[in-house]
Amino acid sequence: MEDKTPDHYEESLQHGMQGGTTSSSTSQTSPSKSALFKARVIGGVCLAAVLAMAVPMMLPEDNGDAVASVEPAPAPEPAPVAEVQPAPEPTGPQMTKIDTKVKPGDTLMSILTNAGAERSQAHAAIKALSTEFSPRQIKPGQELTITLMEDPDTGANTLEELGLTVDPVRTVVVASKDEGFEADILDKPIEKHLVRAEGSIDSSLYVAAVDAHVPPQILGKMINVFSFDVDFQREIQPGDKFALMFEEMRTDEGDTVDQGEVLMAEMVLSGDTKRYYRFKDQNGFYDYYNAQGQSARKALLKTPVDGARISSRFGKRKHPILGYTKKHTGVDFAAPRGTPIYAAGDGIVDFAGRNGGYGNYVRIRHNGTYKTAYAHMKAFAKGIRKGKRVRQRQIIGYVGTTGRSTGPHLHFEVLKNNAKVNPLSVKLPTGKKLTGKMLAKFEKARASIDAQYAALPSTTRLADASQATDSDKKETTAQ
């Protein structure tokens, strides 16, 4: 059915403009239709207005560019998933190695237990070690390596190994075995090296030797070589010289662990040169000989005590205690109390005991001609008694001040055919001289030593004895 309302509205409008009146029936229905019509018109106008305002706001602004596409909102990131860690695998026993040093007051037991070893195991390890080394002989500074195995479940430690450095060459290793602990000695390989040292004496032989890097042990051996010819307390002068070639023992790492023998020793005293070579004779004994094969050894030492000074000489003097002039029948060597006293030569002790003003006294018979006597001793060396055979430079007693004495010193006498003579001026018999085949063998060894010495740099510590030929080593380093 068509909507006639607009046409009727238009006709009513025209009718009103023409006459301005209607019939009564028309007047009663027109207002109702007219109000409805007006409401619809007004509603339509309002709707159009609202749409006119809303549509531009919803459409994109036309700025001559392409219409931008609407980006979709990003999808939310997934929540992180916690990583599942695998269960830890069970661990085995943990090994711990402890390096330490012996400190004053330490014992092996205290060191091991403080490191974590059980006391029973420490006791068993020490017992095994004692088969190779006495635990009572440990000294501060010695190095130890302790190896422990820890049980991860109980935390208990098991002692696996103990290493104790005895000296620069030897190490005692105690290892755990099925049946207990077992000890073994590990030795580092060492080699002989040749060292040449020389120097000029300005103040003392000792200072000059230290400046030339001569070890004290080697210096002592050199002094022994010349002790028959040289009075080191009185004959050394500024400008005198010395030279040495000696052996030195080193590990593979180059560490010096010991000194060997002096193969050649030389001293130039007031222009007089004395040089001696080490050589083994037909009886297997080593000694030092000059270039002519004459032994450096004399029948008697000039000075039977080291580091002493002459406090009183042979001859007449005013006695320090008796107060009157009396012949002094020996030479007094002042030295600190307890200084060792050496036998001046090989012989047999024919008196050892207290002897009046001499105090503690020893007399040695060297042969049918010579005897030597030693007085005012503090004590006798162990084993020194009448009838005891002694060797040259063997310790027979110690400096003291027993008997008629004013201070610690050695009173030394030399008796020739039982007559007391001046020990400093007596002409003593020399040692043996090489002859024949032994002299020829010595001369070959001497030439080898001279060649080795000449090839070494002065005061060096780098030359290796292995550089010598086999024949050289048989005559030199092997001696």
Side-chain angles (χ1 to χ4, degrees), residues 197-202 204-205 208-209 222 226 230 232 235-244 265-274 453:
E198 54 192 22
S200 179
I201 301 170
D202 294 326
S204 71
L205 174 61
M222 185 190 80
F226 290 99
V230 180
F232 285 93
E235 293 184 25
I236 301 295
Q237 302 295 327
D240 289 346
K241 299 178 180 180
F242 73 91
L244 286 169
E266 177 184 279
M267 293 202 71
V268 180
L269 305 174
S270 300
D272 181 22
T273 300
K274 299 178 183 292
Y453 175 79

